[in-house]
Amino acid sequence: MENNKEMRNWLNDFHLPHPIVIAGPCSAETEEQVLKIAHELKDSKVSIFRAGIWKPRTRPGGFEGVGEIGLKWLQKAKAETGLLMAVEVANATHVKLALEHDIDVLWIGARTTVNPFAVQEIADALQNSNKIVLVKNPVNPDLALWIGGVERLNNAGIKKLGIIHRGFSTYEKTKYRNNPEWQIAIDFQHKFPDLPLIIDPSHITGNRDMIFQVTQEALDLNYDGMMIETHIDPDNAWSDAKQQVTPTQLKKIIFDLTIRKETDDADDYQQRLNQLRGKIDEFDAKLLDITGKRMKVAASIGALKKEKNVAVLQNKRWNEVLDKMIADGGQKGLSEEFIVQFFKAIHQESISHQEKIFNS
């Protein structure tokens, strides 16, 4: 699959002066709930109404969606509001039912994207479909798997494609429900700059109070839109209550967001930008030089360990270094999350250099 300008056609056809907004409840619960939310969102910047009909849960016993009956509620909501309707599909049966009920947008969830067999089943069921199909990132941070999901749909003749960034599962404790791992989405965007990219701050944060912040971060990175879970009574929602906002809160979030220009052609801006980028280039070159010298020292440590028959990994030393760097980095305005990721990469490269010494 190669990038091309036509990838944006379906998005451009909305003729929106703002990023596209997809909103609606995590789960369709009752006909009344669906219709009330849809009518609340009708006269807003929302273009697509979303609702979970089938809800894959981590463990059995939880609410797993109302099923097919919910599709009839969405049909009614579409007829009454004019909003396009979107649902998550996880298999060919879901696709068949969604198409029979004229659902406009289908999305593939993170738990499904991780399974190429399931994605291929969906692609086969959608062969040459004219529907909009969006692919959420897989639960694990694997760019190739994410791209592969889109490629399977593209190979099936589906042209109205887009991706949704909903964050990645991690065992590490962070402030997010699903760590954003922004660089993975940026790498996807770099490979396919014309493939529409949508942020799902609800699943990234798991916390309605953080939705504005993460959405703004995404728009600052040139994302094309947002999918935000919206409920008339979030605290009593049947699933994911903490990450849903009311229609009123959603409208305020959208109003408060700042839409950035892609660039500025003014000579003053370009001149100052080039000067600052020149400084960045200098610092980057110095970083590489210092890192290279550091790895030579790490290799020497590896030689010493080999000579004395000492194990490569020294957890106590690593923890001491990491604690010190977190403390020092904080004083320099660097986040703990960045310091941990940065020095983990440095540490892993050091181990690799030492292992080469051991295996030589």
Side-chain angles (χ1 to χ4, degrees):
M1 185 176 77
E2 295 183 359
N3 182 73
N4 66 76
K5 297 292 183 183
E6 292 181 358
M7 288 178 167
R8 302 189 68 78
N9 284 354
W10 71 263
L11 183 60
N12 293 337
D13 287 345
F14 279 91
H15 303 292
L16 298 172
H18 55 78
I20 193 165
V21 182
I22 305 171
C26 173
S27 301
E29 298 167 358
T30 66
E31 180 177 347
E32 180 185 11
Q33 172 239 21
V34 167
L35 292 175
K36 187 168 183 180
I37 298 170
H39 278 280
E40 289 270 355
L41 299 178
K42 176 184 177 183
D43 297 317
S44 69
K45 291 185 177 179
V46 175
S47 297
I48 301 171
F49 182 87
R50 59 140 290 153
I53 302 299
W54 302 281
K55 300 297 298 180
R57 312 314 295 173
T58 302
R59 299 177 64 184
F63 174 61
E64 297 186 341
V66 296
E68 183 179 354
I69 186 65
L71 296 172
K72 298 184 184 301
W73 305 342
L74 296 186
Q75 281 184 311
K76 190 171 182 180
K78 180 178 179 179
E80 292 184 7
T81 67
L83 292 169
L84 300 187
M85 295 291 132
V87 299
E88 177 179 348
V89 293
N91 55 48
T93 300
H94 292 172
V95 171
K96 178 176 179 292
L97 290 169
L99 295 180
E100 287 176 355
H101 290 82
D102 197 27
I103 299 300
D104 306 283
V105 181
L106 311 179
W107 83 83
I108 298 176
R111 290 182 176 90
T112 306
T113 306
V114 80
N115 183 348
F117 293 104
V119 176
Q120 188 61 56
E121 177 184 328
I122 292 169
D124 292 342
L126 279 168
Q127 187 80 31
N128 296 319
S129 172
N130 197 39
K131 299 294 185 180
I132 298 168
V133 184
L134 308 175
V135 182
K136 286 196 174 185
N137 63 257
V139 289
N140 53 309
D142 188 331
L143 177 59
L145 198 57
W146 197 3
I147 292 175
V150 177
E151 288 176 328
R152 290 176 185 279
L153 294 162
N154 181 70
N155 291 343
I158 301 158
K159 301 305 179 186
K160 296 180 179 179
L161 293 168
I163 56 173
I164 301 174
H165 177 201
R166 53 79 75 189
F168 302 87
S169 296
T170 176
Y171 286 114
E172 297 175 359
K173 186 178 180 181
T174 74
K175 63 183 179 180
Y176 302 103
R177 177 182 178 185
N178 294 290
N179 209 37
E181 302 283 1
W182 292 104
Q183 191 58 48
I184 295 176
I186 291 170
D187 288 344
F188 203 137
Q189 191 180 43
H190 177 71
K191 289 178 180 291
F192 300 97
D194 289 302
L195 186 68
L197 172 58
I198 293 168
I199 190 71
D200 176 355
S202 303
H203 281 90
I204 286 178
T205 65
N207 178 351
R208 66 177 66 100
D209 295 333
M210 296 172 62
I211 285 176
F212 172 81
Q213 169 209 325
V214 168
T215 306
Q216 185 63 65
E217 286 184 63
L219 294 185
D220 293 346
L221 294 171
N222 295 319
Y223 280 50
D224 297 293
M226 63 207 77
M227 176 185 274
I228 299 178
E229 292 189 347
T230 310
H231 195 290
I232 48 173
D233 186 11
D235 290 333
N236 292 301
W238 295 3
S239 58
D240 288 346
K242 293 181 180 179
Q243 67 190 40
Q244 299 190 65
V245 297
T246 65
T248 299
Q249 289 170 327
L250 174 70
K251 292 171 186 176
K252 185 176 189 312
I253 288 170
I254 295 171
F255 179 81
D256 290 342
L257 289 169
T258 301
I259 312 302
R260 311 292 183 187
K261 295 184 295 183
E262 197 165 322
T263 188
D264 190 314
D265 295 327
D267 290 340
D268 175 62
Y269 167 77
Q270 293 294 334
Q271 183 178 6
R272 290 163 60 191
L273 180 64
N274 289 335
Q275 288 174 346
L276 292 169
R277 284 177 171 171
K279 291 181 179 180
I280 289 289
D281 291 343
E282 289 179 22
F283 285 126
D284 286 345
K286 290 177 181 178
L287 277 173
L288 284 177
D289 182 58
I290 291 171
T291 303
K293 290 176 180 177
R294 187 191 190 283
M295 293 308 158
K296 288 181 180 179
V297 176
S300 297
I301 292 175
L304 177 60
K305 288 177 179 176
K306 182 178 181 181
E307 177 188 334
K308 299 299 183 181
N309 195 30
V310 175
V312 169
L313 182 60
Q314 301 289 316
N315 272 322
K316 182 180 178 182
R317 164 66 178 169
W318 161 237
N319 289 330
E320 289 173 351
V321 169
L322 187 59
D323 288 343
K324 183 178 186 302
M325 292 302 102
I326 290 172
D328 291 350
Q331 293 178 2
K332 294 176 172 61
L334 301 174
S335 70
E336 179 175 338
E337 181 183 3
F338 169 75
I339 291 294
V340 169
Q341 291 181 345
F342 181 76
F343 277 94
K344 273 188 175 180
I346 294 288
H347 185 235
Q348 184 57 56
E349 185 68 10
S350 297
I351 288 175
S352 297
H353 277 258
Q354 292 186 26
E355 285 180 336
K356 286 179 183 178
I357 298 294
F358 270 61
N359 295 326
S360 63

